[in-house]
Amino acid sequence: MTPVILLAADRKSAEVTDWAARVGWVVGLLLFVALVYWLMREGWKWRGTLQGDLPELPAAPSAPGAARLTMTGRYHGSTTAGQWLDRIVAHGLGTRSRVELTLTDAGLDVVRPGASDFFIPVGALREAVLGKGIAGKVLTEGGLLVVTWEHGGRLIDSGFRSDHAAEHGAWVDAINSMINKSETEGAR
């Protein structure tokens, strides 16, 4: 025999993929991801339990009056006032969603398709500012309308982003003027 034929006879083919080991790793990874997801869900429920002392959210009055301003956009969540990472999840306040805001003389009506609606009476409004972040959502400076309000003895910041960010300034001015007018009338 010639040496070339002997070399070809000594070669082995590549190892075949060990499918049992590969399937085992994939199943293990999927179980790990499921465990992490379950732990996150339990943490969310636990946070809601800790915030169980928060009373039910007010519903809009039957006749809130004429709309001063309306806006469509996104609701990014609510936090403890001044602590933009301390998300409030009780009563669905932690659920991000589309939003339709209506400002009337009675207060701020927050309509959220697919999530629970709520109403902020004018007496509960404390301040409106332009912010850049809330509850894990960071935007450009002034990209977020942050409304501070009181509910159940707790100050809450709720973050909204309009479909048209240029509207935010008018909302800040209108809400703050309503608050100042309410405080002036209350002092009389």
Side-chain angles (χ1 to χ4, degrees), residues 116-135:
S116 56
D117 303 339
F118 60 97
F119 181 77
I120 305 172
V122 70
L125 290 169
R126 296 295 177 256
E127 181 183 29
V129 296
L130 295 178
K132 65 177 181 177
I134 193 164

Side-chain angles (χ1 to χ4, degrees), residues 74-143:
R74 298 225 25 107
Y75 169 76
H76 287 288
S78 292
T79 63
T80 302
Q83 299 176 6
W84 68 285
L85 291 176
D86 186 21
R87 183 187 298 266
I88 296 177
V89 300
H91 307 299
L93 287 175
T95 306
R96 291 183 179 172
S97 63
R98 294 285 304 156
V99 71
E100 298 168 7
L101 292 178
T102 305
L103 184 64
T104 66
D105 289 332
L108 182 63
D109 190 16
V110 182
V111 177
R112 301 185 305 152
S116 56
D117 303 339
F118 60 97
F119 181 77
I120 305 172
V122 70
L125 290 169
R126 296 295 177 256
E127 181 183 29
V129 296
L130 295 178
K132 65 177 181 177
I134 193 164
K137 181 68 173 181
V138 179
L139 301 164
T140 59
E141 189 67 46

Side-chain angles (χ1 to χ4, degrees), residues 42-51 85-89:
E42 290 300 308
W44 186 269
K45 289 179 1 185
W46 177 70
R47 182 177 276 273
T49 302
L50 289 177
Q51 298 166 349
L85 291 176
D86 186 21
R87 183 187 298 266
I88 296 177
V89 300

Side-chain angles (χ1 to χ4, degrees), residues 1 6 8 10 17 31 33 45 68 74-75 98 116 131 139 144 151 157 165 170 178 181:
M1 262 203 238
L6 289 176
D10 287 344
T17 303
L31 288 173
V33 169
K45 289 179 1 185
R68 287 180 164 203
R74 298 225 25 107
Y75 169 76
R98 294 285 304 156
S116 56
L139 301 164
L144 195 65
H151 182 62
D157 284 342
M178 283 180 67
K181 181 180 174 186

Side-chain angles (χ1 to χ4, degrees), residues 13-49:
S13 62
E15 287 290 323
V16 177
T17 303
D18 184 4
W19 286 105
R22 185 167 288 190
V23 169
W25 276 104
V26 169
V27 168
L29 183 62
L30 290 175
L31 288 173
F32 177 73
V33 169
L35 173 69
V36 169
Y37 177 77
W38 179 79
L39 288 172
M40 288 173 32
R41 186 168 179 255
E42 290 300 308
W44 186 269
K45 289 179 1 185
W46 177 70
R47 182 177 276 273
T49 302

